[in-house]
Amino acid sequence: MEKETVTLTIDGKTATVPKGTNVVDAAKSVGIEIPIFCYHEKMLRLGCCRMCLVEVEKMPKLMTACTIDATEGMVVKNDTPKVVKGRQGVLEFTLLNHPLDCPVCDKGGECPLQDNTFNYGAGDTRMEFKRFNNVKKKELSPVITLDRERCIACQRCTTYSEVIEGDQALVMHNRGFHNDIGTFNDQPYDTRFSGNVVDICPVGALTNSIFRFQARTWDLDNAKTLCAHCGCNCNIEFGARENELMRVVSRQNDAVDDGWICDKGRFGYEFVSSKNRILEPGIRKDGEMNVASLDEACDETVSKLKTIIEEHGPKSVGFIGSPFASNEELYLYQKLMRLGVGTNNIDHKSYDDTPGLPVAHYDFTDIESSDLTVLIASDPTEELPILDLRIKKAVTRLNRNLIVLNDQKTLMDKYASLSLRYNVGSDGVALAGLAGAIADSLKQGEAPKVEKLEKTTGIKPNSFKDFAEKMIAAKKVCVIYNPAALTGNSVAIVKNLLSVLNQKPEGECGAIPAAPATNALGAMDMGILPDFYPGGVSLSDDSKIKEVWGESAPTEKGFTTCEMFEKAASGDLKALVVFRSNPIVDFPGGDKIEEALKKVEFLVAHDMLHTETTALAHVVIPSVGPGFDEGTTTNIGGRVQYRRKGLKAESFPDWRVLAKLLSGFEIEAKYLDSFTVTAELAKKVSGYEEIRRGSIQKEGKTRPAQASVNGKTPEVTSPDSIDGFKLRVSEKLFAKDKILESESALAHHFSEPKAILNSVDAKKLGIKSGDRVKVSSGNRGLSVEAEVEDSCNPGAVVVSNAGDEYRVLALIQDHNATVQVSKE
Amino acid sequence: MTQILLKNFEVEGLTTLKVYEKLGGYKSLKKAFSMKPEEVLNEVKNSGLRGRGGAGFPTGLKWSFLAKDSFPRYFACNADESEPGTCKDRILLEKNPHLLIEGLIVSSYACLIETGYIYFRGEFQDVADLMDEAIAEAYKKGYLGKNILGSGFNFDLYTHLGAGAYICGEESALLNSLTGMRGEPRSKPPFPAVQGLYDKPTVINNVETVCVVPWIVNEGSEAYKKLGTEKSTGTKLVSVSGHVNKPANVEIEMGTPVSKIIEMCGGMRNGNKLKAFIPGGSSVPMLGIEHIDVAYDYESLKEAGSMLGSGALIVMDETTNIVEATMRLAYFYMHESCGKCTPCREGTRWLYQMLGEVLNRRGSPETIKTLQDACDNMAMKTFCPLADAAVAPVVSSIDLFPEDYKSFFAEAAATAG
């Protein structure tokens, strides 16, 4: 639908803009700047600062350009003497009590107040009284400090808190001259997105406590790069001084982040200088780890692998990749394993998933245009925070609908028009039932036996129909699912549900596979899978594989991670290369994995930080990781973007390590930089043909969606009934892991894990909120505080994955994740 | 003189429903309910009644701007009387609460509104308590609630106390405050008649305005138009304060000369000479003795360079220190600025500082120039009219009494010498 437009003139220039555009944005569209402080294009029009005064024909007084809509035939004047005087007046008022401590202000050099004063100010003030003194350092949270004197009360931050974050945490107190931004009862302003107020503050009032007084902005080397914490891949600017990271700020990309980043992205970058970093390669000799050169480490790796291949065959070697690494690194690793070693024992995850979708692959902006978004097993607030903001935007400001389907309570529930809670472990049955309900409503299948389904899933019979009707009624449906939080073959069932939905006669639908890891989609695309080559090429597509990868490319299905650990435990897997992954902590059933890894004859760990896994390795190779590396990543929306280098690393970039290993296996690897790898993968990986440095420089590029391999309707298995509780591990944005260590600026967000019990179960066990309980399975037990809240249905317990030290995932020891809960 | 608002004020027990009814109270309901709502609206429109809160906008016209077919609609009665010098609503609320209730029922009937709120200023706790009693009586008698007097019309009325902010008398700030938000004006458009309380069409009328409606319904708009002048119809409550012998609320017919009003209040204190008067509350420019005979109506006062405003006549005699009086007002606006927009938040304080400078004999002609220019930079450039109100006394006092200001410089020079 074409949007209605209006045409107006601004300083004689004609601008045609969509109806509803304000005059500031209309002027911007024809290159005319109207100065602003309080207005922000992503937020409400406030009209507080009065900086944007303009003359509008037929209007007696000066108008604020931010609060008025452009109308047909409107004549705006931006440079008349009246306007000039009005703005000079406003700036004089603004500066009356401003401290003008620009020489020491963090905002200096990038301050709209400086810039507007420079461009529009009178050059002098007539203020002859002592300016009002106020608090210079008010710590709103451990990461945000307010300089009350510099605040010009524009209300951008409080509006942000109300409109964008949606929780009114930061508010204006008092009135008039004494107004003051703060929080209720002086509680810390410690939301997940608090740092954005530093970026939007038009003066140096809200400051980044870590960057405060550390450097001048013009001294920073800014790298336009990407955040590497989650699958959103928000655009950031990495500000370094003398190769030391000083700060991270957001870099607006409407197709991804809408201009916002979360606090983990902004403040969670201390790992670049962590004491725990692996700086030098090491080779274990007689149980002792000895420092080695990179060449020595690579040579050792190649020769040991070759010996093992010779003795036990390529199937005795496995590779566990990382969903956090770049496409280039992963591409080279799979090439090394497939063409060098000759195995498909390649994987990166602990759950079942396959590349491709039976429907369109949607991006962030599709959430805004979809009249219905459906969240399946996804908790964006903790897993993919910027997705949380985008959904809130769609629901609260664009009047879109949201359906939440999950086994645990999430903060998204309050935005949902329908919120369905299935029993932990019954996701497959629930999703198949819902797919059946859609098929039934489309008269394409039998009606599901909802009463029976209620018993297994806990979903009320009429909810199935309600869900189906809402899905069918919506013109555009965006389904967001988290494969990592689904069990068994549920991802296949979700895809089946999508296929069914796609049959509806009208409207469109698409999906976003929202695995939380940074480059989970890239890892799938790069073929870090035992059964797919890069570009979603199935092993059954023999001719295609031979055509692209040569005659010797292996086509026998490899082991999944689970199978690799089993084979390692049984002694069949002799060598394992682990790249930026710590399965002992991050995969379910860590203890068994640890035992298995100990049995591996030759374990190579290529990682950024020392982990439980690197501690067992025979060869350790440093990986430089985010901040130092360069390459592309593919976010959950299928957008391939450019991660630039922000800091110079002392060790080798990963592609160079890979080049050495490839050469060791006699594979030509004449790469000059990571982009030569990109150029190669663009040729080899279908979907990535258009990916080049130039094409992704600005906003990135969405790679075309892959079609999913058409399979049979997946089998649905009912969950086993168990003796005990099913454990649901919930993700935490600020978990105390290797990335956010105890010294992290975000340490105030850390919490101990909690066991959240349904009130029905709690009553049976006589447990109250606050009691200490023991959650145990096998020889693992975790003493935690209980919280009685109906987060999940009875029969399960939700435990938050609050940090590596708790080893929560080690509690999962069978495929049902059975645990016992007892009062301590 | 015809008394519409202050009628029966001397009768004991007027606040009770029994006495109020005995004196003909709630009579207009029956008549209104026998008419169609739009007929009642047209009657008010035809009467020429204008808003008594300060802006003087025609009431019937305001009602007719309500967004069509958008329901529910709300009535917000503005009892946030905070304009310095103004105490007319308070006396109506204190002495005759049922008159307001009656007015609200009839007005809401005309506007197809079923829910009304009376927003009291924070300091009006006692008045609000009294109103709650009156409302309870009215509910008991069936004047409020469902199916009033068998008419099929339902109307619920609630009272709400603000937290004591002048700005909440501004209609959109009032709506914010009423919903528990910060008392700051909203951007207009959308106007309250389209998107007001809870984003629904809302009528906001001053207490005095609403209190006139029953009389118009009872006696007819033609009778009302016979009172006052052609464009300023009816009567007006004027709160006379300052240097008169008997400061009081008086009800006058529109067009009564100011000199007559002063006379009604016992004339000037000690027989002193008038120096200046502020005709419509502190937010309007002051006038000098040459305007003593100006007719008290919207048009004449505007012509004289001021405004009728809220109807608070502040009388100052020759003993008045104009600079000090102006500074007192400047303090008020500094204290009451909500702080939302820059020129008002910063400007009101600066004006106060500069006036203090003059008063402390540290001023110079340059100070006056800066004062005037700062006023110019504030006027008509702020979000709401509070800053316009703040500059009115400053600008007019400098214009009218430049010698008073100068006298402080002269003394300054003398002290320095």
Side-chain angles (χ1 to χ4, degrees), chain A residues 328-342:
Chain A
E328 287 70 19
E329 291 150 10
L330 294 169
Y331 168 84
L332 290 179
Y333 255 120
Q334 69 84 32
K335 187 175 172 183
L336 174 74
M337 297 316 288
R338 290 195 162 111
L339 305 189
V341 176

Side-chain angles (χ1 to χ4, degrees), chain A residues 722-772:
Chain A
I722 54 154
D723 184 20
F725 287 88
K726 292 203 175 186
L727 173 67
R728 166 66 149 108
V729 178
S730 67
E731 289 304 318
K732 280 279 194 211
L733 179 62
F734 303 112
K736 190 175 161 193
D737 52 20
K738 304 284 181 297
I739 295 293
L740 300 185
E741 301 162 316
S742 42
E743 299 90 44
S744 168
L746 296 165
H748 59 288
H749 282 290
F750 294 157
S751 57
E752 298 222 329
K754 267 188 180 175
I756 307 172
L757 279 165
N758 187 287
S759 50
V760 174
D761 295 328
K763 206 172 165 190
K764 272 190 214 157
L765 296 171
I767 291 168
K768 292 186 304 294
S769 281
D771 286 352
R772 294 301 292 187

Side-chain angles (χ1 to χ4, degrees), chain A residues 394-569:
Chain A
V395 175
T396 62
R397 281 168 282 153
L398 303 167
N399 292 321
R400 308 298 186 197
N401 280 312
L402 175 70
I403 294 181
V404 171
L405 185 62
N406 210 325
D407 51 1
Q408 59 158 345
K409 193 173 180 177
T410 69
L411 285 172
M412 279 290 130
D413 285 320
K414 71 172 180 181
Y415 297 94
S417 53
L418 177 68
S419 188
L420 302 180
R421 186 92 24 99
Y422 55 81
N423 295 340
V424 173
S426 74
D427 40 339
V429 182
L431 289 160
L434 293 165
I438 297 171
D440 176 41
S441 294
L442 291 169
K443 303 201 173 13
Q444 290 185 347
E446 261 176 61
K449 297 187 176 61
V450 287
E451 282 77 18
K452 208 176 141 204
L453 286 173
E454 185 190 7
K455 217 170 153 241
T456 320
T457 65
I459 297 175
K460 294 264 170 304
N462 53 358
S463 296
F464 285 91
K465 205 172 164 63
D466 193 10
F467 175 84
E469 276 167 5
K470 284 194 160 79
M471 292 287 264
I472 291 165
K475 283 195 200 81
K476 185 173 178 182
V477 185
C478 174
V479 176
I480 300 169
Y481 66 95
N482 177 8
L486 291 167
T487 62
N489 65 342
S490 294
V491 173
I493 300 174
V494 169
K495 289 184 182 176
N496 184 53
L497 184 148
L498 292 168
S499 307
V500 174
L501 184 65
N502 213 19
Q503 302 298 313
K504 63 176 190 170
E506 277 169 53
E508 46 186 311
C509 66
I512 299 178
T518 314
N519 195 25
L521 199 66
M524 302 285 284
D525 286 352
M526 293 306 129
I528 307 301
L529 294 165
D531 44 1
F532 286 89
Y533 267 73
V537 177
S538 163
L539 289 181
S540 58
D541 201 346
D542 201 68
S543 58
K544 178 90 189 270
I545 291 171
K546 296 269 183 310
E547 182 198 321
V548 180
W549 300 98
E551 288 300 320
S552 62
T555 51
E556 192 186 339
K557 187 180 177 301
F559 300 136
T560 63
T561 47
C562 270
E563 289 163 344
M564 280 190 250
F565 298 133
E566 277 166 24
K567 297 287 172 192

Side-chain angles (χ1 to χ4, degrees), chain A residues 46-50 61 85 89 92-94 97 126-127 129 132 152-153 155 172 174-177 179, chain B residues 164-165 182 184 335-343 345-346 349-350 357 373 376-378 381-383:
Chain A
L46 297 170
C48 287
C49 73
R50 317 307 287 175
K61 57 179 193 176
K85 179 168 190 295
E92 184 177 32
F93 289 130
T94 309
N97 293 287
R126 293 169 289 183
M127 172 76 170
F129 307 103
F132 190 78
I152 59 166
Q155 300 196 9
M172 190 68 93
N174 300 329
R175 73 171 182 226
F177 189 72
N179 62 10
Chain B
R182 197 175 155 77
E184 280 182 352
H335 186 256
E336 292 296 344
S337 168
C338 79
K340 175 165 176 156
C341 69
T342 313
R345 179 185 66 244
E346 302 287 337
R349 185 169 183 268
W350 197 22
E357 194 76 346
D373 194 57
D376 180 59
N377 285 342
M378 288 166 74
K381 291 176 191 69
T382 51
F383 196 89

Side-chain angles (χ1 to χ4, degrees), chain B residues 129-311:
Chain B
D129 290 347
L130 203 67
M131 183 59 72
D132 283 336
E133 279 170 36
I135 289 174
E137 276 187 307
Y139 264 109
K140 218 167 171 186
K141 195 70 196 278
Y143 290 133
L144 288 171
K146 297 260 174 284
N147 192 16
I148 300 166
L149 305 181
S151 62
F153 174 64
N154 311 320
F155 186 63
D156 285 307
L157 186 58
Y158 306 91
T159 55
H160 182 90
L161 271 171
Y166 172 66
I167 190 62
C168 292
E170 194 280 336
E171 56 180 14
S172 62
L174 183 151
L175 295 178
N176 274 353
S177 173
L178 188 52
T179 39
M181 291 192 278
R182 197 175 155 77
E184 280 182 352
R186 295 181 190 173
S187 194
K188 290 184 239 177
F191 289 95
V194 179
Q195 249 179 298
L197 194 59
Y198 308 117
D199 281 348
K200 292 290 175 189
T202 304
V203 174
I204 303 155
N205 276 142
N206 175 257
V207 170
E208 185 185 346
T209 317
V210 179
C211 287
V212 177
V213 175
W215 195 93
I216 295 172
V217 171
N218 282 332
E219 311 292 330
S221 57
E222 290 304 322
Y224 192 76
K225 269 160 77 176
K226 280 194 191 119
L227 302 168
T229 69
E230 194 196 335
K231 285 185 177 161
S232 301
T233 58
T235 65
K236 174 82 187 86
L237 264 186
V238 182
S239 306
V240 187
S241 62
H243 301 155
V244 289
N245 278 318
K246 285 188 219 158
N249 278 303
V250 292
E251 184 169 3
I252 55 136
E253 230 180 275
M254 286 285 195
T256 308
V258 167
S259 51
K260 176 92 189 291
I261 301 172
I262 292 174
E263 229 167 80
M264 286 165 83
C265 294
M268 296 299 293
R269 179 181 71 170
N270 304 334
N272 283 355
K273 220 172 106 192
L274 178 78
K275 182 166 186 175
F277 63 96
I278 303 177
S282 64
S283 301
V284 307
M286 54 178 82
L287 297 172
I289 191 161
E290 64 276 20
H291 292 295
I292 181 86
D293 287 321
V294 67
Y296 201 86
D297 61 58
Y298 293 106
E299 290 69 33
S300 310
L301 284 167
K302 195 169 176 199
E303 208 175 300
S306 189
M307 280 184 286
L308 187 139
S310 63

